[in-house]
Amino acid sequence: MLPKARWLISILSVSALGDSLKPRGTSHLNPNAIQLLSERGIGSDRLNEKSLGLRHGDGCFCSLACDTLTDIFGSGSVDIIGGEAYEAARSRFWSQQQSQETSPSCFFYPNDAEDVSIAILLSRATECPFAAKGGGHTAFKGSSNSPGGITIDFTRMKEVIPSADRKSVAVGPGNTWFDVYSTLDSFNLTVAGGRTATVGVSGLTLGGGISFFSGQHGWTCDNVISYEVVLGSGEIVTVDLNTNADLFWALRGGGGNFGIITQFVFHAFEQGPMWGGFQFWEMHSTLTPLIDAMINYAEKGSVEDPKAALIVSFAYAQAYQMWVSSVMTHYPEPQPPGSHPEVFDEFFKVENAFHDSTRTESHSNHTVEVASNSPSGMRQSYWTFTHRVDRQLTLDILTIYQEEVVPILNLTGMMPPFVYQVITVSQLKAMRRNGGNALGLSGGDEPLLLIDLAPMWVLASDDEAVLTAFSNIVSRSQKLAEERGLDHPYLYMNYASQFQDPLTSYGQENKAKLLEVSKKYDPEGIFLNLNPGYFKFEGAPVQW
C-alpha cells in the first residue's frame, strides 16, 4: 500500500463514519466521500463531476473506481477487464456461473484492512457495486464476484498465525481450509472449520460452518473469538463478545450483510492425525440399511459419542451407469489399520462395499479427499432443507429424489448428489455459547436431518431442466414433511440456492434482530445496496 494512502485512511474512516450516521436517503452515496478522497489526494475531475449529482447507471463510474484503485495501489494490485491477468483471476472461482458468466470491471487485491476501507469508500464515491471473494466456492452468479463492479479478492490476505499459548489462531480471509489446516498440522493444532479443502474460510464461517469436530466443539461460527471488520463507513472495528457484542452475534450466521471481515480469530485445539474416509456401495441393495444406521446414529450414536462425524449420500454415477450409496465417516483419534470406531459399527456391517478409503491421516489430507468429490469448472447449484428425524419420511424423500432426477440423468456431465447430515444434539447445545448465534437452532433438544442437494453438470442449456428438477425435490419434500408434522424451517445458508431465503428461516425474532444490527452498523445500507450479490434481508436473491 502507498504510504500516502496508509496515512490517509484513519482520517477518511473517521470522517466518513460521522457522515454515515445520517438517515438513509435515495442515493447510496456518502455526500462527503468524494470530497474526502479528493482532499487527501485520491480524486480526479471525473470524481468531482460525480459529486455534482451524476448517478450510477453507466459502467463508466466502475471504470473510474478501478482506474482510481490502480492509481493508488499500482497495477500489480488491480486486474482490469481486458488486462493480461484478468481472465486468470476469473478462472479462480469454483462454478462456471461465477468464473465464466460473471465479469467484474476489475479485481482488487488488498493487503490489509486499510486497503479494504479505501476500496469501500471508492465504491461509495462512484456508486460502483462490489463483492468480496475469499475462496470463491459459492455456486450462483454474482454471489462472490461482482458483475460489472469491483471484486475484492483476498488472495494476498492469507495469514495463519497460532497464538503463543496455542489456544487461538488468527486467520486471513483469503485462506481456504486447506491453507489453514496444512499450516496447523505442523503444530499439531487445528480449528473447527470446513471439511472441504477448497472451500474458503470467510463464506463458510459467516454462514454457520459444519466441521469434522462439530460434535465436540460446535459449528465454525461458534468457534470464533473475534473478528476484524471493515464497516460501510470505512471504519475498522474489532468485534468480540465484549466489544460490539450485538454485531458479534449477527456475524455468527448472518452472512456478509454487516461489513467485510479482514481477520478471524478462532479457538484452536490439539489435533494430530485422525481417522476417516469414504465407503461406496451399489445403492438399491444398501439404501435401507444405511438409512436405518443413520437414524440410529442420529438418535443414539451421536449422543453417546459426540466425537464422531457422519455424512450419508446417494447419487447416480453417469460414467458407470449405476446408483451409488456413500458414507463419509471421521473421528479425531487414530485407529489401528483395518479397524474403526465403535460408533460406526452399523455402517461397516453393510456388505459389498466396492471402495473403502478409511485410514488414519492428517486433517488437511482428509479435506483434500472430500474436495475430490466436488471438482471446479462445472455448472453448480446448491439446494437445502431440514426435517425432523423420521425413518419413513427419509425413505419417501429419497423416492421423490429419484423420481425427479431420472429424467435428467443423461444430461452431459450430470452428477446429482443427495446428501444427508445430522445436526446433533451436542451441536445444538454448543450454539448457546457466548450469547448464542443467529441461526435460530440453539436450544433444540432433538437432532435434525439437514439435506444438501448439490447437482453438477456441464451445459448452460441444461440449466432449466436441472433447476426445475431440484426445485421440485425441495418443494415436494417440504410439503410431505409438513403434512406429517415433521418439517423444520431452517435453511443452511451455505447450502441454499439463489431461489431460497435462509435469513427468514432463522425465525421472525432473529431476522428482526439482524435487521436492527444492520441498521446500527450500516445505517446507509452499503452492504445491502452496493454489495447485492448474496443472501439479503428482502428475500431470495432470485425469484423462481
Side-chain angles (χ1 to χ4, degrees):
M1 183 175 181
L2 297 182
K4 177 173 67 174
R6 194 176 290 279
W7 172 73
L8 290 175
I9 190 62
S10 61
I11 301 172
L12 291 171
S13 297
V14 173
S15 300
L17 176 62
D19 188 77
S20 72
L21 298 176
K22 295 179 180 179
R24 288 178 64 182
T26 57
S27 173
H28 312 154
L29 176 65
N30 178 336
N32 281 345
I34 296 169
Q35 180 182 345
L36 287 167
L37 291 167
S38 181
E39 286 176 355
R40 306 305 176 181
I42 301 173
S44 69
D45 290 341
R46 293 171 69 200
L47 273 177
N48 292 333
E49 290 174 3
K50 184 72 176 72
S51 69
L52 295 176
L54 296 176
R55 287 282 191 259
H56 170 66
D58 165 342
C60 68
F61 294 130
C62 282
S63 296
L64 172 58
C66 293
D67 289 344
T68 306
L69 285 169
T70 303
D71 290 342
I72 299 168
F73 297 101
S75 59
S77 293
V78 184
D79 284 329
I80 293 178
I81 190 167
E84 183 176 344
Y86 177 87
E87 288 303 323
R90 282 183 75 203
S91 72
R92 291 193 289 266
F93 289 84
W94 174 58
S95 73
Q96 274 189 28
Q97 293 96 317
Q98 289 245 84
S99 65
Q100 298 181 15
E101 297 179 0
T102 309
S103 298
S105 288
C106 64
F107 291 92
F108 170 55
Y109 306 102
N111 290 303
D112 54 31
E114 296 174 347
D115 294 1
V116 174
S117 181
I118 286 181
I120 289 175
L121 289 173
L122 273 171
S123 169
R124 295 181 66 172
T126 58
E127 297 190 41
C128 179
F130 64 91
K133 174 187 177 286
H137 205 274
T138 48
F140 59 87
K141 180 178 179 179
S143 46
S144 60
N145 194 9
S146 180
I150 304 164
T151 294
I152 302 172
D153 187 326
F154 289 108
T155 299
R156 296 180 180 174
M157 296 178 65
K158 299 182 70 169
E159 70 274 13
V160 179
I161 306 172
S163 63
D165 63 6
R166 298 171 58 86
K167 293 182 179 179
S168 66
V169 56
V171 177
N175 285 291
T176 64
W177 289 108
F178 180 79
D179 297 327
V180 176
Y181 302 145
S182 59
T183 299
L184 295 181
D185 280 345
S186 62
F187 294 90
N188 284 327
L189 290 174
T190 199
V191 297
R195 297 160 295 184
T196 303
T198 51
V199 166
V201 167
S202 297
L204 181 128
T205 304
L206 292 171
I210 307 174
S211 169
F212 293 142
F213 312 105
S214 285
Q216 288 179 285
H217 297 279
W219 283 23
T220 306
C221 65
D222 296 316
N223 282 269
V224 179
I225 297 171
S226 68
Y227 307 83
E228 180 183 71
V229 186
V230 181
L231 301 177
S233 64
E235 185 186 14
I236 303 165
V237 298
T238 297
V239 178
D240 58 31
L241 183 60
N242 299 309
T243 306
N244 302 307
D246 50 354
L247 183 54
F248 182 66
W249 173 86
L251 290 172
R252 292 157 67 193
N257 290 303
F258 312 95
I260 291 181
I261 313 302
T262 49
Q263 187 181 80
F264 300 83
V265 178
F266 292 101
H267 288 286
F269 51 89
E270 299 287 333
Q271 182 62 52
M274 59 183 287
W275 177 91
F278 287 82
Q279 293 172 281
F280 289 91
W281 300 262
E282 185 279 328
M283 187 182 82
H284 294 296
S285 61
T286 59
L287 187 152
T288 299
L290 288 174
I291 291 300
D292 288 341
M294 182 184 74
I295 298 297
N296 290 337
Y297 170 85
E299 296 178 335
K300 183 179 179 182
S302 65
V303 177
E304 295 176 348
D305 192 348
K307 294 179 181 179
L310 171 73
I311 292 179
V312 179
S313 305
F314 305 94
Y316 183 77
Q318 193 179 79
Y320 302 100
Q321 296 187 334
M322 68 179 292
W323 290 91
V324 176
S325 302
S326 171
V327 169
M328 186 178 94
T329 47
H330 287 88
Y331 203 78
E333 298 170 2
Q335 303 294 308
S339 65
H340 60 267
E342 184 179 351
V343 67
F344 299 127
D345 276 352
E346 199 167 348
F347 296 98
F348 278 82
K349 290 177 181 177
V350 179
E351 297 180 345
N352 299 318
F354 62 81
H355 177 77
D356 184 343
S357 70
T358 55
R359 78 279 184 204
T360 296
E361 179 65 277
S362 69
H363 183 194
S364 58
N365 282 342
H366 280 296
T367 69
V368 171
E369 182 182 29
V370 177
S372 69
N373 294 289
S374 183
S376 61
M378 303 278 284
R379 301 193 71 73
Q380 305 279 357
S381 184
Y382 278 136
W383 299 77
T384 191
F385 61 99
T386 304
H387 66 77
R388 302 183 191 282
V389 176
D390 182 85
R391 177 182 183 274
Q392 191 58 51
L393 177 63
T394 302
L395 293 170
D396 292 342
I397 286 174
L398 284 166
T399 298
I400 291 172
Y401 157 69
Q402 293 174 72
E403 290 172 353
E404 293 290 345
V405 164
V406 164
I408 62 171
L409 289 181
N410 292 320
L411 298 181
T412 303
M414 186 65 206
M415 172 64 76
F418 184 109
V419 182
Y420 262 117
Q421 300 178 58
V422 181
I423 304 177
T424 67
V425 172
S426 62
Q427 292 173 25
L428 296 170
K429 288 180 178 178
M431 293 183 184
R432 301 170 186 167
R433 293 199 305 250
N434 296 326
N437 61 40
L439 301 175
L441 289 171
S442 60
D445 56 5
E446 295 181 356
L448 297 169
L449 292 178
L450 173 66
I451 290 83
D452 170 24
L453 300 165
M456 297 172 273
W457 67 106
V458 172
L459 301 178
S461 57
D462 292 329
D463 285 7
E464 183 176 357
V466 175
L467 297 177
T468 298
F470 280 84
S471 176
N472 289 345
I473 294 168
V474 172
S475 60
R476 290 179 61 190
S477 298
Q478 289 180 315
K479 181 180 179 182
L480 184 63
E482 185 176 358
E483 289 171 351
R484 298 182 186 179
L486 297 168
D487 58 307
H488 193 281
Y490 178 66
L491 300 175
Y492 180 40
M493 182 181 289
N494 294 342
Y495 294 162
S497 84
Q498 65 267 44
F499 309 107
Q500 296 184 290
D501 181 12
L503 291 168
T504 296
S505 81
Y506 296 177
Q508 183 176 352
E509 182 179 346
N510 278 14
K511 184 176 180 181
K513 185 176 176 182
L514 287 168
L515 279 164
E516 288 179 8
V517 174
S518 172
K519 290 175 182 176
K520 176 179 176 181
Y521 291 92
D522 187 19
E524 295 195 25
I526 303 305
F527 283 89
L528 302 183
N529 297 305
L530 288 176
N531 178 223
Y534 204 45
F535 296 105
K536 303 298 174 183
F537 298 114
E538 64 267 23
V542 180
Q543 296 301 310
W544 178 250

